[in-house]
Amino acid sequence: MKAILYTLPVAFILSIACTSSKTMSFTPPAATTPPLPEFDLEGHRGARGLLPENTVPAMLKALELGVTTLEMDAHISQDGQVLLSHDPFINREHELLPSGEEIPQKDAKKYVLYQMPYSQIRQFDAGSKFYSKFPEQRLMKAYKPLLAEVIDSVQAYLQNHGLPQVFYNIETKSSPAGDGKYHPAPEEFVDRLVAVLDAKNIRPYAIIQSFDPRTLQALHRKHPDIKTSLLVENTKGLEKNLDLLGFTPHIYSPYYKLVSPALVEATQGRGMKLVPWTVNSLEEMRRLKQLGVDGLISDYPNLYKALSL
């Protein structure tokens, strides 16, 4: 498929960008502990299959498509800023140097986010390179935004379009092997992330998810009111994964092929929501919904409308 550079209507996005350096906060609908959606429709990295992942335009596109939760990934820059990125480095598969040139193969893992100030990270182009894994993705100049900017943009979009409040499902991208190299230790990671949530007044609508039990444990210990989601890709089973975590999270989020009727019954029997990832076909969405899952995470939130028909 030929890559076509795509430009969204930018008046709204530019207006947000002009105010992103200001301190903004919002007052979500009054609810001390708002319930999770009855059936949660999540946009993976915004709308990864349609627009560059973990960018402001991808998040706004997901809102346009009616998601109830925005799923995203968080990293920490050298200067302690919380930004959106799945990978701990600038990924040459779908990102370009500030000059617009390709990143050489020898430099594939050279540009580590935790070793660069955010001002430098922002200069890389995160949206103009054709990504063969997602050929429908519309190309556009984009950058890795701060979490604070994403929240500002989302909340303003919701208000301007009269849309209901959504949840923010934020993954802490960490592992024991990455401490001090790709990210700070769990306590600092959690502290920096929660500071942004509180500054933006969206704590009640935040879900923190991770494959790394340590960040969830630190969060649960210091901020037990914040919703948690355990991401799972192993076959250890529910009980062993929960024993390792040490507490019952609000959400159990396995790779979708691990979902079975027994897992649905077991998770819901323990008071958890079951929200599998990453489900990218309408057929699989319907199958999982029929099994009784409590939500879906998809790169293609445009499919959700057909799911509800």
Side-chain angles (χ1 to χ4, degrees), residues 53-291:
E53 65 180 55
N54 282 315
T55 62
V56 170
M59 298 299 160
L60 300 187
K61 182 63 176 179
L63 295 179
E64 177 189 323
L65 293 170
V67 302
T68 50
T69 295
L70 293 169
E71 194 274 351
M72 61 195 71
D73 305 294
H75 273 283
I76 309 295
S77 66
Q78 185 184 58
D79 51 344
Q81 301 293 306
V82 184
L83 67 136
L84 265 56
S85 178
H86 176 267
D87 302 293
F89 44 79
I90 304 296
N91 189 332
R92 69 181 303 273
E93 285 192 348
H94 53 88
E95 295 168 342
L96 299 169
L97 293 168
S99 64
E101 297 176 295
E102 300 266 345
I103 299 172
Q105 179 61 50
K106 66 180 179 64
D107 294 337
K109 297 185 179 181
K110 175 181 178 179
Y111 301 103
V112 176
L113 306 179
Y114 189 51
Q115 298 173 17
M116 294 191 292
Y118 177 68
S119 60
Q120 181 183 358
I121 295 169
R122 188 183 174 100
Q123 300 307 309
F124 288 80
D125 186 342
S128 296
K129 183 176 180 179
F130 177 70
Y131 192 15
S132 59
K133 292 180 181 178
F134 295 95
E136 297 175 46
Q137 191 179 91
R138 296 168 179 171
L139 305 184
M140 59 189 300
K141 289 280 288 185
Y143 56 86
K144 295 180 182 294
L146 292 176
L147 174 59
E149 179 186 356
V150 171
I151 295 170
D152 286 346
S153 302
V154 167
Q155 294 299 137
Y157 187 95
L158 295 176
Q159 181 176 350
N160 291 342
H161 290 79
L163 297 175
Q165 181 63 46
V166 296
F167 283 84
Y168 294 82
N169 189 10
I170 307 166
E171 180 180 348
T172 56
K173 301 300 295 185
S174 65
S175 68
D179 286 354
K181 178 182 179 181
Y182 290 137
H183 50 77
E187 292 277 344
E188 181 183 345
F189 203 137
V190 165
D191 288 346
R192 292 190 180 280
L193 179 54
V194 172
V196 176
L197 303 180
D198 286 343
K200 297 302 176 182
N201 199 30
I202 56 100
R203 182 183 182 120
Y205 287 89
I207 304 162
I208 307 304
Q209 63 175 354
S210 191
F211 289 101
D212 185 357
R214 303 174 309 150
T215 54
L216 297 183
Q217 289 162 351
L219 182 80
H220 183 68
R221 185 168 59 251
K222 302 180 76 171
H223 308 283
D225 60 299
I226 296 180
K227 297 175 178 66
T228 52
S229 176
L230 179 63
L231 288 165
V232 174
E233 60 183 344
N234 61 61
T235 56
K236 294 178 181 178
L238 176 66
E239 296 304 324
K240 286 186 178 180
N241 283 320
L242 292 182
D243 286 345
L244 180 62
L245 181 60
F247 67 94
T248 301
H250 296 79
I251 301 167
Y252 192 77
S253 190
Y255 178 47
Y256 79 94
K257 289 187 177 181
L258 297 175
V259 175
S260 66
L263 182 61
V264 173
E265 182 179 358
T267 52
Q268 295 174 350
R270 296 188 63 151
M272 292 179 288
K273 295 275 191 178
L274 180 62
V275 182
W277 56 272
T278 301
V279 192
N280 285 340
S281 78
L282 187 57
E283 180 182 5
E284 281 297 323
M285 289 180 180
R286 286 172 172 159
R287 182 184 71 83
L288 290 164
K289 190 173 183 182
Q290 188 173 17
L291 280 180

